[in-house]
Amino acid sequence: MKVLVTGGAGYIGTHCLVELMQAGIEPVVLDNLSNADPSALARVEQITGQAPIFIEGDIRDHRVLELTFQAHRPQAVLHLAGLKAVGESVEKPLEYYDNNIAGTLQLLHTMREYQCRQIVFSSSATVYGDPQTLPIPESAPIGGTTNPYGTSKYMIERILSDWAHADPQAQVIALRYFNPVGAHPSGLIGEDPKGLPNNLMPFIQKVAVGELEQLSVFGDDYDTIDGTGVRDYLHVVDLAKGHLAAIQRMLRESDTGFEAINLGTGNGISVLQMVNAFERASDQTVAYQIAPRRPGDIAACYADASCALDKLNWRAELDLTQMCQDAWRWQQFIAGK
Ligand code: NAD
Ligand code: UD1
């Protein structure tokens, strides 16, 4: 059974490929390599012993989509392709809306043409904006987004929900990721952001390995355990297993319609707690200074993860130490490349 994985050569995509292949599902990767290196697919092959089918192409290109569906007839789609840098999305909103929204529309048109009606979409906890309740349940209001990236996720959820409403056979699951971190325990795949990392974990990794001097901790005066920002970090392997669980549920059950499901651990971790955990796991010092708050940041964000357990029988299993150990193993691998 084949599943199309758009964006499958990227950070989360490669981890999903491993889980799918190990469960006997054949992934077909469609990726334009705008933020990925094909060598990551070779390393997926090293882990799984099989090469994933790979098509280099853009989801906005109708011809490429047609050829992909014609040749492979995927039963379902994991839709991860998208641009994801928050700051860049503020500078280039049209590029973000074009890539993320126009790309999704092309994909849905082609799916309809080929009667493929099952899709799992990479959404984000960013759709909740500044949450009113913690932990955040799926029923919390969405749409209070503060940047084009977040707004594109919100708009795609609306499009998918309307599509599912109009087609009684459509099955859509929007997975709202909290903060994916870490890497595959093999140390062969992970995230390797170009330039200065925007996100906490890759920044800490580069300080620990000596590529960056020190971390700026954005704010120590939030109403949190130690004043620094609190987030729900989850291991990328757990996240990938959540995708497998979503696909398997779709294949097993005929529940139709649109569902949004949080993927998080349910635990809030502060910036300083993360720094300490990383220092312990890597046996390195992570130098840091307290800096002003980052504009647009919120104090705390963590999931009510009960719906994923209920509906997907999924819960995060890997703890903070494993996230840090695996991130560190991967960081050493890329530093030595
Ligand atoms: P990534 O950049 O590593 O992966 C995205 C992949 O999509 C890349 O390989 C890129 O080359 C490809 N791509 C982008 N536009 C494309 C297009 N038009 N056609 C074909 N391929 C295209 O990012 P990731 O961290 O693996 O994220 C995967 C998805 O999960 C994204 O949609 C992202 O918005 C979402 N998400 C990520 C996070 C996170 O923290 N990493 C959090 C929430 C949601
Ligand atoms: C970021 C994105 C969000 C996306 C999420 C996915 C921004 C503004 N938001 O969220 O849209 O869905 O990633 O994982 O980019 N921090 C520091 N120093 C740093 C970097 C971060 O102190 O150098 C702090 C932040 O202030 C925050 C925490 O670390 O409290 C986590 O930050 P980050 O990893 O960027 O994730 P989010 O802000 O949750």
Side-chain angles (χ1 to χ4, degrees), residues 6-14 30-37 57-61 79-85 98-100 103 121-126 149 152-153 175-181 190-191 199 236 239 243:
T6 72
Y11 169 47
I12 297 167
T14 46
L30 176 62
D31 197 303
N32 66 1
L33 301 181
S34 60
N35 195 34
D37 189 319
D58 198 296
I59 53 165
R60 289 165 295 179
D61 183 340
H79 178 32
L80 294 98
L83 298 176
K84 62 161 187 175
D98 182 51
N99 195 82
N100 295 1
F121 171 61
S122 295
S123 190
S124 166
T126 195
Y149 164 71
S152 77
K153 292 290 174 197
L175 296 175
R176 293 180 180 155
Y177 313 162
F178 280 68
N179 290 57
V181 295
E191 187 173 27
N199 298 116
V236 65
L239 181 72
H243 289 73

Side-chain angles (χ1 to χ4, degrees), residues 218-230:
F218 297 142
D220 67 348
D221 56 353
Y222 287 109
D223 183 15
T224 61
I225 182 168
D226 55 19
T228 65
V230 163

Side-chain angles (χ1 to χ4, degrees), residues 248-307:
Q248 285 175 328
R249 172 160 179 253
M250 278 182 170
L251 300 175
R252 198 175 53 236
E253 286 169 32
S254 49
D255 292 359
T256 52
F258 173 91
E259 275 176 314
I261 302 181
N262 288 339
L263 291 185
T265 63
N267 302 320
I269 300 291
S270 77
V271 176
L272 292 182
Q273 286 172 329
M274 181 58 104
V275 168
N276 287 335
F278 199 91
E279 287 187 326
R280 278 197 306 276
S282 63
D283 208 15
Q284 303 293 313
T285 302
V286 176
Y288 69 86
Q289 59 163 5
I290 304 297
R293 290 181 178 194
R294 181 171 65 179
D297 265 358
I298 54 178
C301 174
Y302 50 93
D304 175 338
S306 56
C307 178

Side-chain angles (χ1 to χ4, degrees), residues 172-196:
V172 181
I173 298 181
L175 296 175
R176 293 180 180 155
Y177 313 162
F178 280 68
N179 290 57
V181 295
H184 194 266
S186 62
L188 290 171
I189 52 172
E191 187 173 27
D192 187 11
K194 297 178 181 87
L196 207 58

Side-chain angles (χ1 to χ4, degrees), residues 129-206:
D130 196 351
Q132 306 294 306
T133 24
L134 288 170
I136 311 173
E138 287 81 356
S139 55
I142 61 168
T145 49
T146 53
N147 55 74
Y149 164 71
T151 306
S152 77
K153 292 290 174 197
Y154 168 67
M155 289 165 110
I156 294 168
E157 280 205 16
R158 292 293 305 266
I159 291 167
L160 289 169
S161 159
D162 289 344
W163 180 62
H165 187 72
D167 182 340
Q169 284 173 282
Q171 289 177 273
V172 181
I173 298 181
L175 296 175
R176 293 180 180 155
Y177 313 162
F178 280 68
N179 290 57
V181 295
H184 194 266
S186 62
L188 290 171
I189 52 172
E191 187 173 27
D192 187 11
K194 297 178 181 87
L196 207 58
N198 297 310
N199 298 116
L200 179 64
M201 188 63 137
F203 209 108
I204 289 179
Q205 290 167 220
K206 288 195 186 293

